[in-house]
Protein backbone atom coordinates (compact mmCIF):
# COMPACT_ATOMS: atom_id res chain seq x y z
CA UNK A 1 0.00 0.00 0.00
CA UNK A 2 1.30 3.43 -0.93
CA UNK A 3 1.55 5.80 2.05
CA UNK A 4 0.90 9.53 1.95
CA UNK A 5 3.67 11.95 2.84
CA UNK A 6 2.26 12.71 6.28
CA UNK A 7 2.20 9.02 7.19
CA UNK A 8 5.71 8.55 5.83
CA UNK A 9 6.94 11.42 8.03
CA UNK A 10 5.29 9.90 11.10
CA UNK A 11 6.84 6.53 10.36
CA UNK A 12 10.27 8.06 9.68
CA UNK A 13 10.13 9.90 12.99
CA UNK A 14 9.52 6.54 14.68
CA UNK A 15 12.72 5.19 13.13
CA UNK A 16 11.41 3.56 9.95
CA UNK A 17 14.35 3.88 7.56
CA UNK A 18 12.32 2.67 4.56
CA UNK A 19 9.89 5.56 5.04
CA UNK A 20 12.76 8.02 5.20
CA UNK A 21 14.24 6.55 2.02
CA UNK A 22 10.84 6.83 0.35
CA UNK A 23 10.64 10.52 1.29
CA UNK A 24 14.07 11.06 -0.25
CA UNK A 25 12.90 9.30 -3.41
CA UNK A 26 9.76 11.47 -3.57
CA UNK A 27 11.84 14.64 -3.41
CA UNK A 28 14.63 13.31 -5.64
CA UNK A 29 13.42 15.10 -8.81
CA UNK A 30 13.35 18.44 -6.99
CA UNK A 31 16.80 17.90 -5.49
CA UNK A 32 18.23 16.85 -8.83
CA UNK A 33 16.79 19.95 -10.48
CA UNK A 34 18.34 22.18 -7.84
CA UNK A 35 21.84 20.76 -8.15
CA UNK A 36 21.88 21.57 -11.86
CA UNK A 37 22.04 25.25 -10.89
CA UNK A 38 25.61 24.96 -9.62
CA UNK A 39 28.92 24.04 -11.15
CA UNK A 40 29.35 20.36 -12.01
CA UNK A 41 32.18 20.05 -9.45
CA UNK A 42 29.85 21.19 -6.65
CA UNK A 43 26.76 19.14 -7.51
CA UNK A 44 27.57 16.05 -5.46
CA UNK A 45 28.30 18.11 -2.31
CA UNK A 46 25.13 20.15 -2.79
CA UNK A 47 23.03 17.02 -3.27
CA UNK A 48 24.42 15.57 -0.04
CA UNK A 49 23.70 18.82 1.82
CA UNK A 50 20.16 19.00 0.49
CA UNK A 51 19.50 15.40 1.51
CA UNK A 52 20.82 16.12 5.02
CA UNK A 53 18.54 19.15 5.29
CA UNK A 54 15.55 17.14 4.07
CA UNK A 55 16.26 14.39 6.59
CA UNK A 56 16.69 16.91 9.42
CA UNK A 57 13.47 18.74 8.53
CA UNK A 58 11.57 15.47 8.20
CA UNK A 59 12.70 14.18 11.59
CA UNK A 60 12.06 17.50 13.35
CA UNK A 61 8.73 18.32 11.66
CA UNK A 62 6.03 19.08 14.22
CA UNK A 63 3.30 16.60 13.32
CA UNK A 64 1.15 17.76 16.23
CA UNK A 65 0.44 21.00 14.39
CA UNK A 66 -0.26 20.22 10.80
CA UNK A 67 -2.86 22.57 9.39
CA UNK A 68 -5.89 20.89 7.91
CA UNK A 69 -7.74 22.21 4.89
CA UNK A 70 -9.84 24.65 6.92
CA UNK A 71 -6.72 26.20 8.51
CA UNK A 72 -5.10 26.41 5.09
CA UNK A 73 -8.18 28.13 3.69
CA UNK A 74 -8.18 30.69 6.55
CA UNK A 75 -4.45 31.34 6.05
CA UNK A 76 -4.96 31.94 2.33
CA UNK A 77 -7.92 34.25 3.00
CA UNK A 78 -5.86 36.44 5.35
CA UNK A 79 -3.11 37.05 2.79
Amino acid sequence: MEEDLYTLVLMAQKGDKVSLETILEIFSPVLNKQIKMVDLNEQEDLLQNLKEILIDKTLSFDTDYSPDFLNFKVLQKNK
Side-chain angles (χ1 to χ4, degrees), residues 20-38:
L20 191 55
E21 290 172 10
T22 303
I23 292 169
L24 289 170
E25 287 176 23
I26 290 170
F27 285 95
S28 179
V30 176
L31 300 179
N32 289 329
K33 185 175 180 180
Q34 294 302 308
I35 66 170
K36 301 231 185 289
M37 296 182 181
V38 299

Side-chain angles (χ1 to χ4, degrees), residues 27-70:
F27 285 95
S28 179
V30 176
L31 300 179
N32 289 329
K33 185 175 180 180
Q34 294 302 308
I35 66 170
K36 301 231 185 289
M37 296 182 181
V38 299
D39 186 72
L40 185 61
N41 295 330
E42 299 174 10
Q43 288 182 1
E44 191 67 32
D45 288 340
L46 178 59
L47 182 59
Q48 186 64 32
N49 288 339
L50 290 173
K51 285 181 178 181
E52 289 174 10
I53 291 169
L54 181 57
I55 290 168
D56 180 56
K57 295 299 180 184
T58 298
L59 297 179
S60 64
F61 182 75
D62 183 4
T63 57
D64 291 333
Y65 178 73
S66 294
D68 59 11
F69 180 74
L70 292 177

